[in-house]
Amino acid sequence: MEHLTCGGETSIIEKKRTKRWPKLLFLLLVLFCVILSAAFLFHGTERKPSFSDELCYTLVIDPGHGGLDGGAISDDGTRECDINLAISHRLRTAAEFFGLNVVMTRTDDSIRRGYADYSEREDLEYRAAIVNDTPAAVLFSIHQNDFPTSQPSGSQVFYAASPGSEALGKCLHRNLIDQLDPQNRRVAAPAPRSLYLTSHVQCPAVLVECGFMSNNFDVQKLTNSRYQSSLALIMTASLLQYFTNETNY
Ligand SMILES: [Zn+2]
């Protein structure tokens, strides 16, 4: 190969290369036609989403509370923030397994690093900024419910007013009830304006109350790693289902 640049040999090689061009162009044209035909054959003339559409989204997981703010506390002293974090880590693992990008608003029990004087409002503003700074975000905020009596149990999904949130919330709520709690008569509901995070993000956003800290049977389930994994898998499956329905026009 080193000698091809010498004098006359170069011009012979160039001639051979020139002769190859029409053949190469013809082959490229045939390849293009084959790909085009296959696209029409399998998908018709309408554009259909591919899995890569879903990979453009980033799932932002917000494990509610943390650090000084433990959230609701059960009779046996279990803190809501710890359950939220455990479920969130499992959700992250499941979502990443399916190739989704994931961002978390916290990954351990510390509230914002280097933040000495805790302020719930500033913490929520910080979390909202993470969501709003993430391109093509979808927010799952993970919480547990609490009630003055021990009777209420089960999960409930609240959805933001932003576009896509209602469809995502209803899809997730239906799957949680169908798979884990068929007796649950609650319905997915609009998130109250008083919930800071769901009121201050522009992306599809839901707040999931996975169960009640005031119900001991719920707390037993919510601290069980298998149950946490079930919740995480249902959330991931619902998200993929939502992407398909949302983009399948
Ligand atoms: Zn909470």
Side-chain angles (χ1 to χ4, degrees):
M1 291 296 286
E2 290 85 353
H3 303 292
L4 295 182
T5 52
C6 296
E9 284 183 8
T10 307
S11 60
I12 290 164
I13 297 300
E14 278 173 355
K15 274 180 191 171
K16 281 184 180 174
R17 279 181 182 161
T18 313
K19 279 184 180 176
R20 281 182 196 157
W21 271 110
K23 264 187 181 179
L24 197 63
L25 279 173
F26 177 73
L27 283 173
L28 282 172
L29 194 66
V30 169
L31 190 66
F32 178 73
C33 290
V34 168
I35 291 170
L36 205 63
S37 307
F40 275 102
L41 190 65
F42 291 108
H43 298 287
T45 52
E46 204 177 71
R47 179 192 171 275
K48 292 283 181 185
S50 67
F51 192 68
S52 60
D53 290 330
E54 294 153 22
L55 300 183
C56 296
Y57 289 95
T58 295
L59 171 63
V60 182
I61 305 171
D62 171 52
H65 314 283
L68 290 174
D69 172 18
I73 311 289
S74 71
D75 283 351
D76 66 359
T78 305
R79 301 188 311 163
E80 180 198 342
C81 64
D82 296 329
I83 295 176
N84 297 342
L85 188 61
I87 294 169
S88 296
H89 277 304
R90 284 176 163 77
L91 174 57
R92 176 184 201 159
T93 302
E96 286 181 341
F97 178 81
F98 284 99
L100 294 166
N101 304 312
V102 176
V103 166
M104 290 178 75
T105 57
R106 69 178 176 103
T107 54
D108 55 29
D109 197 37
S110 62
I111 293 289
R112 185 147 63 107
R113 272 186 286 275
Y115 189 42
D117 301 317
Y118 175 76
S119 147
E120 186 182 3
R121 176 59 182 254
E122 285 188 44
D123 176 50
L124 289 171
E125 286 173 358
Y126 168 73
R127 295 181 195 225
I130 291 177
V131 180
N132 289 326
D133 289 347
T134 303
V138 176
L139 170 67
F140 274 31
S141 186
I142 311 297
H143 282 260
Q144 312 305 319
N145 222 329
D146 196 33
F147 201 71
T149 69
S150 62
Q151 199 187 3
S153 66
S155 52
Q156 184 169 18
V157 176
F158 293 94
Y159 51 83
S162 49
S165 301
E166 184 174 354
L168 175 61
K170 286 183 173 174
C171 171
L172 173 57
H173 184 85
R174 188 183 57 245
N175 287 336
L176 285 169
I177 302 303
D178 286 353
Q179 299 301 320
L180 296 176
D181 193 11
Q183 311 301 321
N184 190 335
R185 292 288 170 260
R186 265 185 219 94
V187 293
R193 292 289 304 163
S194 56
L195 291 179
Y196 185 91
L197 202 52
T198 44
S199 300
H200 289 81
V201 296
Q202 282 80 51
C203 68
V206 292
L207 185 145
V208 192
E209 304 273 18
C210 304
F212 277 79
M213 297 300 290
S214 45
N215 180 294
N216 290 339
F217 184 61
D218 267 12
V219 174
Q220 249 181 23
K221 288 193 293 184
L222 293 166
T223 49
N224 179 288
S225 56
R226 272 193 188 178
Y227 192 79
Q228 292 172 352
S229 293
S230 300
L231 286 164
L233 287 171
I234 292 167
M235 288 183 210
T236 307
S238 303
L239 188 58
L240 295 175
Q241 206 173 359
Y242 163 76
F243 286 147
T244 308
N245 292 338
E246 278 294 292
T247 53
N248 201 5
Y249 54 88

